[in-house]
Coordinates of all heavy atoms in Angstrom, one line a residue:
R284 N 34.0 -2.1 -4.5 CA 34.0 -1.7 -5.9 C 35.4 -1.2 -6.3 O 35.7 -1.1 -7.5 CB 33.0 -0.7 -6.2 CG 31.6 -1.0 -5.8 CD 31.0 -2.1 -6.6 NE 30.7 -1.6 -8.0 CZ 30.4 -2.4 -9.0 NH1 30.4 -3.7 -8.8 NH2 30.2 -2.0 -10.1
S285 N 36.2 -0.9 -5.3 CA 37.5 -0.4 -5.7 C 38.5 -0.8 -4.6 O 38.1 -1.2 -3.5 CB 37.6 1.1 -5.8 OG 37.2 1.7 -4.5
V286 N 39.8 -0.8 -4.9 CA 40.8 -1.2 -3.9 C 41.3 0.1 -3.2 O 41.2 1.2 -3.7 CB 42.0 -1.9 -4.6 CG1 41.5 -3.2 -5.2 CG2 42.6 -1.0 -5.7
P287 N 41.8 -0.1 -2.0 CA 42.2 1.1 -1.2 C 43.3 1.9 -1.8 O 43.2 3.2 -1.7 CB 42.7 0.5 0.2 CG 42.1 -0.9 0.2 CD 41.9 -1.3 -1.2
S288 N 44.3 1.3 -2.4 CA 45.4 2.1 -3.0 C 45.8 1.5 -4.3 O 45.9 0.3 -4.5 CB 46.6 2.0 -2.0 OG 47.7 2.6 -2.7
T289 N 46.0 2.4 -5.3 CA 46.4 2.0 -6.6 C 47.8 2.4 -6.9 O 48.2 2.6 -8.0 CB 45.5 2.6 -7.7 OG1 45.4 4.0 -7.6 CG2 44.1 2.0 -7.6
Q290 N 48.6 2.6 -5.8 CA 50.0 3.0 -5.9 C 50.8 1.8 -6.1 O 50.6 0.7 -5.6 CB 50.4 3.7 -4.7 CG 49.6 5.0 -4.3 CD 49.7 6.0 -5.4 OE1 50.8 6.3 -6.0 NE2 48.6 6.7 -5.7
G291 N 51.9 1.9 -7.0 CA 52.8 0.8 -7.2 C 52.5 0.0 -8.4 O 51.7 0.4 -9.3
K292 N 53.1 -1.1 -8.5 CA 53.0 -2.0 -9.7 C 51.9 -3.0 -9.5 O 51.8 -3.6 -8.4 CB 54.3 -2.7 -9.9 CG 54.3 -3.6 -11.1 CD 55.7 -4.3 -11.3 CE 55.7 -5.3 -12.4 NZ 55.2 -6.6 -11.9
R293 N 51.1 -3.2 -10.5 CA 50.0 -4.2 -10.4 C 50.6 -5.6 -10.6 O 51.5 -5.8 -11.4 CB 49.0 -3.9 -11.6 CG 47.7 -4.5 -11.5 CD 46.8 -4.1 -12.7 NE 45.6 -4.8 -12.8 CZ 44.5 -4.5 -12.2 NH1 44.4 -3.4 -11.6 NH2 43.5 -5.3 -12.4
M294 N 50.1 -6.5 -9.7 CA 50.6 -7.9 -9.7 C 50.2 -8.6 -11.0 O 49.1 -8.3 -11.5 CB 50.1 -8.6 -8.5 CG 50.6 -8.0 -7.2 SD 49.8 -8.8 -5.8 CE 50.8 -10.4 -5.7
S318 N 39.9 -6.9 -14.1 CA 39.2 -5.8 -14.8 C 40.2 -4.9 -15.5 O 41.3 -4.8 -15.1 CB 38.4 -5.0 -13.7 OG 37.8 -3.8 -14.3
S319 N 39.7 -4.2 -16.5 CA 40.5 -3.3 -17.3 C 40.7 -2.0 -16.5 O 41.7 -1.3 -16.8 CB 39.9 -3.0 -18.6 OG 38.7 -2.4 -18.5
R320 N 39.9 -1.8 -15.5 CA 40.0 -0.6 -14.7 C 41.0 -0.8 -13.6 O 40.9 -1.8 -12.8 CB 38.7 -0.2 -14.1 CG 37.6 0.2 -15.1 CD 36.4 0.6 -14.4 NE 35.3 0.8 -15.4 CZ 34.1 1.0 -15.0 NH1 33.7 1.0 -13.8 NH2 33.2 1.2 -16.0
P321 N 42.0 0.1 -13.4 CA 43.0 -0.2 -12.4 C 42.6 -0.2 -10.9 O 43.2 -0.8 -10.1 CB 44.0 1.0 -12.6 CG 43.3 1.9 -13.5 CD 42.2 1.3 -14.1
A322 N 41.5 0.5 -10.6 CA 41.0 0.6 -9.2 C 40.1 -0.6 -8.8 O 39.7 -0.7 -7.7 CB 40.3 1.9 -9.0
R323 N 39.8 -1.5 -9.7 CA 38.8 -2.6 -9.4 C 39.6 -3.8 -8.9 O 40.7 -4.1 -9.3 CB 38.1 -3.0 -10.7 CG 37.1 -2.1 -11.2 CD 35.8 -2.1 -10.3 NE 34.9 -1.2 -10.7 CZ 33.7 -1.4 -11.3 NH1 33.4 -2.6 -11.7 NH2 32.9 -0.5 -11.6
P324 N 39.0 -4.5 -7.9 CA 39.6 -5.7 -7.4 C 39.6 -6.8 -8.4 O 38.8 -6.8 -9.4 CB 38.8 -6.1 -6.2 CG 37.5 -5.3 -6.3 CD 37.8 -4.2 -7.2
V325 N 40.4 -7.8 -8.2 CA 40.5 -9.0 -9.1 C 39.7 -10.1 -8.5 O 39.8 -10.3 -7.3 CB 42.0 -9.4 -9.3 CG1 42.1 -10.7 -10.0 CG2 42.8 -8.3 -9.9
F341 N 40.5 -9.9 -4.6 CA 41.8 -9.7 -4.2 C 42.3 -8.3 -4.7 O 41.9 -7.9 -5.8 CB 42.8 -10.7 -4.7 CG 42.8 -12.0 -4.0 CD1 41.8 -13.0 -4.2 CD2 43.7 -12.3 -3.0 CE1 41.8 -14.2 -3.5 CE2 43.7 -13.5 -2.3 CZ 42.7 -14.4 -2.5
D342 N 43.1 -7.6 -3.9 CA 43.7 -6.3 -4.3 C 44.8 -6.7 -5.3 O 45.7 -7.4 -5.0 CB 44.3 -5.7 -3.0 CG 44.8 -4.3 -3.3 OD1 45.2 -4.0 -4.4 OD2 44.8 -3.5 -2.3
P343 N 44.7 -6.1 -6.5 CA 45.7 -6.4 -7.5 C 47.1 -5.8 -7.3 O 48.0 -6.1 -8.0 CB 45.1 -5.9 -8.8 CG 44.2 -4.8 -8.4 CD 43.7 -5.2 -7.0
Y344 N 47.2 -4.9 -6.3 CA 48.5 -4.3 -6.0 C 49.2 -4.9 -4.8 O 50.4 -4.9 -4.7 CB 48.3 -2.8 -5.7 CG 47.7 -2.1 -7.0 CD1 46.4 -1.9 -7.1 CD2 48.6 -1.7 -8.0 CE1 45.9 -1.3 -8.3 CE2 48.1 -1.1 -9.1 CZ 46.8 -0.9 -9.3 OH 46.3 -0.3 -10.4
T345 N 48.4 -5.4 -3.8 CA 49.1 -6.0 -2.6 C 48.8 -7.5 -2.5 O 49.5 -8.2 -1.8 CB 48.5 -5.4 -1.4 OG1 47.1 -5.6 -1.3 CG2 48.7 -3.9 -1.4
G346 N 47.8 -8.1 -3.2 CA 47.5 -9.5 -3.1 C 46.7 -9.8 -1.9 O 46.5 -11.0 -1.6
R347 N 46.2 -8.8 -1.2 CA 45.4 -9.0 0.0 C 44.0 -9.4 -0.4 O 43.3 -9.0 -1.3 CB 45.3 -7.6 0.7 CG 44.7 -7.7 2.1 CD 44.9 -6.4 2.8 NE 44.2 -5.3 2.1 CZ 43.1 -4.7 2.5 NH1 42.5 -5.2 3.5 NH2 42.6 -3.8 1.8
L349 N 40.1 -9.4 -0.1 CA 39.1 -8.4 0.2 C 37.8 -9.0 0.6 O 36.9 -8.2 1.0 CB 39.0 -7.4 -1.0 CG 40.2 -6.6 -1.4 CD1 39.9 -5.8 -2.6 CD2 40.7 -5.8 -0.2

Side-chain angles (χ1 to χ4, degrees):
R284 305 291 290 166
S285 63
V286 292
S288 172
T289 57
Q290 303 298 321
K292 182 179 171 273
R293 194 175 170 94
M294 296 174 78
S318 174
S319 59
R320 296 182 187 171
R323 289 284 175 108
V325 174
F341 282 82
D342 185 333
Y344 296 94
T345 63
R347 188 172 61 104
L349 299 175

